[in-house]
Amino acid sequence: MPKAIYEGIYRDLKGKIQEGTYSYQELLPTENELTQTYNCSRNTLRRAISMLADDAYVQPMHGRGVRVIWQREQRVPQGSLDGVESFDEYAQRNDVQPTTSVKSFEHVVCGARLAARTGFPEGSDLIRVVRVRALDGVPRQVDHDCFLASAVPGLTPEIASVSVYQYLEGKLNMRILTSRRRITVQLATDEDCSYLKLGPYNCVAVIESQSFNSAGIMFEYTQVRHHPEEFSYNTVSRR
Amino acid sequence: MPKAIYEGIYRDLKGKIQEGTYSYQELLPTENELTQTYNCSRNTLRRAISMLADDAYVQPMHGRGVRVIWQREQRVPQGSLDGVESFDEYAQRNDVQPTTSVKSFEHVVCGARLAARTGFPEGSDLIRVVRVRALDGVPRQVDHDCFLASAVPGLTPEIASVSVYQYLEGKLNMRILTSRRRITVQLATDEDCSYLKLGPYNCVAVIESQSFNSAGIMFEYTQVRHHPEEFSYNTVSRR
DNA sequence: GCCGATTTGTCCGTATGTATC
DNA sequence: CGATACATACGGACAAATCGG
């Protein structure tokens, strides 16, 4: 049971769109009708609709109605990252076996160069981790992580080899709420080549990301270098 | 003057964060205080705050306040796409000269393969355009566009060589409201190599995108193949 | 082209819940 | 425990876009 009413309505409508109760290019029932079926206020309903619009499931049209724009075939394909899904969640969703190999794990003090690149304040105490992550035994990505040491007490190489996020959420009760990302394409380094079997590719897809916890503290900077094959980043933009 | 009150507040707060009136890691004034300074309702103010949170400018903390997480140095760098910014808008923002060369322009009927790839219904009448776009004379990207012919009446190669979006917005009064995107990395084709001076790179960054107009009609599918150099896609994810 | 009905967009005031301090 | 501050929800009012007669 969802905590909030708007979230329950959001999920219900989303499910109904996915299963075809409301299909591509159709109009949803009007707000007045939906407030009656869900027995809620118009504001609450509109919040749910707005979330569906953010997901590119529907598009509200002033004075006309709300059109469904979600297409079944267009569903997020197998090889895709999106939102804040973790490597393990992704593996589980696609029913493949994730493995992680920790290549290095060290405490460092943030210098000027690292500060400029990561956004951490100079002089911060950081934990730097390099990991190679594979799916069904095939190396897919090289992770370069920097954690704010004070924010991840008790982090060990053993934990890093399983799932840092499970540790953060489970033990430390910390959640990623906001994450800024930059996606670029870079020439593969010798390190990339040694860890990933790049085949014909001489480039990797790079996602840099700064993550903020619920206290608004940036506790993680990550640079993930992906094998180009199967790499796909899906997103929605609206204005 | 912005149309809506919430938008004015949003812009004002955004500006104050950018100019340092409220700086990184500080708390904004409380909602009660801000409703007084802006003389608006709490709902309206919260809407503006929520938009700032979507931009990763602030992070609201339940019971504690709203923390600024925007960093000056972290501002969207020169070579970056984001949101629905067009090539020309991007060129103007970075003060470089955009040029476009139309390589092909043809009417086609959407076949099964194209339908599966683009999301257009099979049998649709489409206009297919290939363009090479350069900044200050340096070819940066190859655009493969498919427009729904019925949605872009009067589109000509001459218009395509300037700006399709100016035509759509100015003449046809059509706006992109929602756009679904997929970012991948692909081996450069012979065509890519002939148009772009890829240098050491043997890959391109590819952004595929489906665009919906204000009527909820998908009127455009685009595949833009970017030179990896200077390519950067910035985004925010929240949960 | 006008007008009224419908439908979404904006805004307000208020009440209550919940997390933090 | 009380005070503070953000989160959720309701109901009502009016504006703006659309559509049919």
Side-chain angles (χ1 to χ4, degrees), chain A:
Chain A
M1 193 64 175
K3 301 170 191 177
I5 296 177
Y6 70 83
E7 202 183 334
I9 299 173
Y10 162 72
R11 291 189 197 178
D12 190 63
L13 287 173
K14 194 167 188 171
K16 283 181 172 156
I17 291 172
Q18 286 173 343
E19 73 185 16
T21 306
Y22 308 119
S23 59
Y24 187 56
Q25 297 294 66
E26 268 184 31
L27 298 186
L28 291 189
T30 68
E31 292 178 352
N32 274 329
E33 289 168 336
L34 287 174
T35 51
Q36 285 170 17
T37 63
Y38 289 110
N39 193 30
C40 69
S41 74
R42 205 174 144 225
N43 280 337
T44 301
L45 177 80
R46 280 177 60 76
R47 179 158 180 179
I49 301 276
S50 165
M51 291 166 70
L52 290 171
D54 288 339
D55 291 346
Y57 268 56
V58 301
Q59 184 157 299
M61 301 178 290
H62 196 163
R64 291 220 267 171
V66 178
R67 173 158 286 148
V68 176
I69 61 173
W70 183 86
Q71 292 164 284
R72 165 166 273 94
E73 311 76 27
Q74 215 58 32
R75 200 173 39 201
V76 177
Q78 289 188 349
S80 84
L81 302 189
D82 195 13
V84 280
E85 190 177 48
S86 76
F87 187 75
D88 291 298
E89 287 165 348
Y90 169 76
Q92 188 171 359
R93 183 163 63 83
N94 291 311
D95 200 29
V96 290
Q97 194 61 35
T99 51
T100 301
S101 154
V102 177
K103 298 299 181 184
S104 79
F105 186 102
E106 51 180 359
H107 282 262
V108 298
V109 174
C110 185
R113 267 208 321 271
L114 199 56
R117 190 159 64 86
T118 64
F120 282 118
E122 211 172 320
S124 312
D125 195 13
L126 304 179
I127 296 179
R128 238 179 140 164
V129 184
V130 178
R131 299 180 292 175
V132 175
R133 320 195 79 172
L135 294 175
D136 283 345
V138 181
R140 304 303 315 171
Q141 62 188 51
V142 184
D143 290 19
H144 297 255
D145 298 316
C146 288
F147 297 97
L148 193 62
S150 59
V152 292
L155 182 64
T156 65
E158 290 69 39
I159 291 170
S161 73
V162 186
S163 171
V164 174
Y165 286 99
Q166 278 184 18
Y167 178 70
L168 293 181
E169 296 211 359
K171 299 285 184 187
L172 300 183
N173 196 28
M174 177 186 293
R175 286 171 303 167
I176 296 181
L177 284 196
T178 307
S179 168
R180 275 199 289 259
R181 298 182 178 180
R182 170 147 94 242
I183 302 172
T184 55
V185 175
Q186 297 178 19
L187 284 173
T189 63
D190 292 342
E191 191 190 57
D192 296 330
C193 294
S194 74
Y195 291 141
L196 310 171
K197 290 164 186 162
L198 288 177
Y201 300 93
N202 73 1
C203 294
V204 291
V206 180
I207 301 184
E208 290 171 278
S209 140
Q210 297 175 306
S211 300
F212 292 82
N213 65 18
S214 56
I217 305 298
M218 182 186 137
F219 72 99
E220 181 194 21
Y221 164 85
T222 303
Q223 187 197 66
V224 183
R225 304 175 71 83
H226 293 263
H227 195 301
E229 225 167 55
E230 306 276 327
F231 171 80
S232 148
Y233 190 91
N234 295 75
T235 184
V236 167
S237 86
R238 269 165 39 87
R239 68 168 158 188

